[in-house]
Amino acid sequence: MVTRLVLVLGDQLSTDIAALREADKSDVVVMAEVMDEASYVRHHPKKIAFLFAAMRKFADRLRDDGWQVAYSRLDDDNNSQSIPGELLRRADEYDAKEVLATEPGEWRLISALEDMPIPVHQFQDTRFIASHKEFEDWADGRKQLRMEYFYRDMRRKTGLLMDGDKPEGGKWNYDHDNRKPAPDEVDFGGPMQFTPDNTVEQVLDLVEARFGNSFGDLRPFWFATDQGQARRQLTHFIKNALPKFGDFQDAMMNDNRFLYHGLISFYLNAGLLDPLEVCRAAEEAYQAGDAPINAVEGFIRQIIGWREYIRGIYFLEGPDYPRRNALNHQRGLPDFYWGAETRMNCIAKAVQQTREEAYAHHIQRLMVTGNFALLAGVNPTEVHEWYLAVYADAYEWVEAPNTVGMSQFADGGIVASKPYVSSGAYINKMSDYCKSCHYSVSAKTGEKACPFNLLYWNFLNRHRDRFEGNPRMAQMYRTWDRMDKDRRDTVLAEGDAFLDRLSKGELV
Ligand SMILES: Cc1cc2nc3c(=O)[nH]c(=O)nc-3n(C[C@H](O)[C@H](O)[C@H](O)COP(=O)(O)OP(=O)(O)OC[C@H]3O[C@@H](n4cnc5c(N)ncnc54)[C@H](O)[C@@H]3O)c2cc1C
Ligand code: SF4
């Protein structure tokens, strides 16, 4: 009988993954820790440790289930340090003539597999609710690809929160009831933290030795690294945080990094949790009367709506998408994204948390670090590489459309109908950051003026030709035009001066 290799990548850690379903136990499962994947951007050490530890445990689980697993550790002598290299080495070793794979979530790897000198069958990744074909059919002929309509189709398809063919409670979207400012107190203690066992400790030592100089704290390490632990985190979240998830989804706090968020994207994206399993658990909490509709609908929308839509865009738009730069922004990423000092408290807090946890929640990514990069005109490719490196849940299929599209408007408006820019007022409304900042959020000009205030108008003025005609931005331009001319000149001059200081690497 001909032996086949079954490739299982680090973010495909599910026994239900397509390639394993196509295989049988006479085949050899190939898993490999390789430098090519660990270093094509400077990944956060926690992210590398999470994946290597979860891979090692998953390999053990497969062996326990009777699979033959050829596992390459990063420091194995004969490791070729690339996925194609390891497949070829194993093909030689086992005299295998073909490879079964699940389509990777990155164009780079898809084409590397296509270019292999032995046949590689790439099966569609069935962990997602919408197939490529379904998304393409949905997108076909539409002028605008708005997530909301796609989401409704996913609700119908899954039956989640449906009452026959009507949405549960009568509305598709309960966001109107969400998005309250930061609360005075948070009665949730954050995600479940798991003490490293021997496998994790070994990986931590390896990662410390090999990647210890990269941006990001490796220890304390608390992530779940197997399906059982990830499920415990899911249950913990559903029981204790989901009821308030909607209310405080967009809030940010100096002293609370996690608020009522799920902290499950690492696990979902690596295959330790299944999106439908997660959504059904949330729906059950609603049906049992344990969580309100606004929270549950909002949460489910993030997963079967945003997450699926974002993936659809990545595959629809093609390999050049992460390099797009519709606004022609060319500034280098400021050093404070890598931890250099800044007086902007919101940025300092988001970056500090990113360094320590390899995590920031959506609004920190979108309206603090993303907002600043867009306002300051940072090159979106540099922004993309930063997000891809520093977050433990970052893989190109999900990170690039969020960064390049939603956050930086570099796709010219495919994901976002208008740029996500705001002055300091939004950050002040949703957080307590401004209270302890060097800058004054109420100052629009002058030495203490919040940089977001200065750059907001600067950005709108710079891109007037492109955005003036956008109905969702008309009000902003009217406000700007109503300002007296001297004031407008001062705001623009001070914004330019700020950007100049930023270019020179001065402390801002
Ligand atoms: C600039 C930028 C970059 C991002 N990069 C990533 C990334 O690399 N990987 C990633 O998984 N998410 C990314 N996101 C989306 C979102 O910020 C994270 O999914 C979320 O913060 C994960 O934390 P959580 O599990 O606590 O999420 P929760 O707030 O609890 O939300 C629940 C789940 O919904 C899903 N979700 C919510 N919003 C999105 C979204 N916009 N796109 C995809 N899934 C979503 C996630 O799976 C998440 O776990 C990015 C957002 C922005 C603005
Ligand atoms: S004042 Fe401006 S820079 Fe300071 S925390 Fe608020 S928004 Fe950020």
Side-chain angles (χ1 to χ4, degrees), residues 261-265 268-269 302 359 362 365 393-394 399 402:
H261 288 277
L263 277 292
I264 52 162
S265 49
L268 269 170
N269 297 349
Q302 305 310 309
Y359 173 83
H362 189 69
R365 298 187 207 196
D393 57 19
E399 177 279 328
N402 269 303

Side-chain angles (χ1 to χ4, degrees), residues 27-298:
D27 298 322
V28 178
V29 176
V30 175
M31 297 182 69
E33 302 167 5
V34 292
M35 271 316 268
D36 269 15
E37 297 308 312
S39 64
Y40 71 96
V41 288
R42 276 203 307 161
H43 298 291
H44 194 298
K46 265 200 173 85
K47 178 181 184 183
I48 301 177
F50 162 61
L51 284 174
F52 285 1
M55 284 168 70
R56 289 184 185 193
K57 290 187 179 186
F58 186 72
D60 286 344
R61 182 171 167 201
L62 290 180
R63 285 191 191 103
D64 288 347
D65 286 352
W67 290 93
Q68 185 178 186
V69 183
Y71 191 97
S72 313
R73 293 190 170 202
L74 190 77
D75 46 6
D76 284 350
D77 285 342
N78 46 5
N79 187 329
S80 64
Q81 304 298 351
S82 79
I83 295 293
E86 284 308 275
L87 282 172
L88 289 180
R89 188 165 74 84
R90 298 301 188 184
D92 228 24
E93 189 179 338
Y94 293 94
D95 196 24
K97 302 281 183 265
E98 57 181 313
V99 179
L100 307 180
T102 309
E103 182 186 76
E106 193 169 343
W107 289 110
R108 178 183 59 87
L109 264 182
I110 292 175
S111 64
L113 293 184
E114 280 167 359
D115 294 345
M116 291 273 301
I118 53 171
V120 180
H121 307 281
Q122 298 193 48
F123 299 99
Q124 282 226 10
D125 194 337
T126 49
R127 286 176 296 169
F128 293 90
I129 292 150
S131 66
H132 295 331
K133 166 92 173 57
E134 274 172 299
F135 193 82
E136 283 158 17
D137 287 349
W138 174 78
D140 191 33
R142 282 175 198 259
K143 270 210 197 115
Q144 291 193 318
L145 303 181
R146 293 292 156 249
M147 191 285 298
E148 183 64 30
Y149 298 107
F150 170 75
Y151 162 59
R152 291 179 191 179
D153 282 358
M154 293 301 100
R155 286 272 293 279
R156 290 188 192 98
K157 178 171 182 187
T158 57
L160 283 161
L161 293 183
M162 293 299 291
D163 180 5
D165 58 357
K166 301 255 164 13
E168 180 70 37
K171 284 199 293 183
W172 289 104
N173 184 318
Y174 287 82
D175 244 4
H176 181 66
D177 304 334
N178 289 337
R179 303 181 165 168
K180 298 193 171 73
D184 291 335
E185 249 180 77
V186 175
D187 55 4
F188 173 59
M192 213 163 221
Q193 310 221 343
F194 299 90
T195 309
D197 56 20
N198 280 344
T199 305
V200 178
E201 282 296 355
Q202 275 180 13
V203 167
L204 292 178
D205 289 344
L206 169 77
V207 171
E208 187 153 54
R210 302 293 292 273
F211 306 98
N213 292 330
S214 298
F215 171 86
D217 296 354
L218 178 62
R219 293 187 168 89
F221 183 89
W222 51 265
F223 287 14
T225 47
D226 61 40
Q227 189 188 49
Q229 290 180 339
R231 284 186 169 158
R232 282 170 63 198
Q233 163 55 18
L234 173 65
T235 308
H236 171 72
F237 161 74
I238 299 269
K239 186 159 178 264
N240 303 306
L242 177 65
K244 292 195 185 158
F245 170 84
D247 289 353
F248 301 114
Q249 200 178 336
D250 289 3
M252 299 173 282
M253 293 175 86
N254 270 315
D255 295 328
N256 195 310
R257 299 171 167 191
F258 306 119
L259 282 109
Y260 296 95
H261 288 277
L263 277 292
I264 52 162
S265 49
F266 327 123
Y267 312 138
L268 269 170
N269 297 349
L272 300 184
L273 291 177
D274 175 75
L276 270 182
E277 159 193 26
V278 168
C279 292
R280 294 216 168 98
E283 186 185 39
E284 271 169 31
Y286 167 70
Q287 282 161 349
D290 294 336
I293 185 84
N294 66 311
V296 174
E297 185 283 313

Side-chain angles (χ1 to χ4, degrees), residues 147 301-310 406 415:
M147 191 285 298
R301 175 161 23 93
Q302 305 310 309
I303 295 175
I304 66 168
W306 277 112
R307 185 170 184 269
E308 294 284 329
Y309 165 85
I310 283 290
M406 187 188 301
V415 170

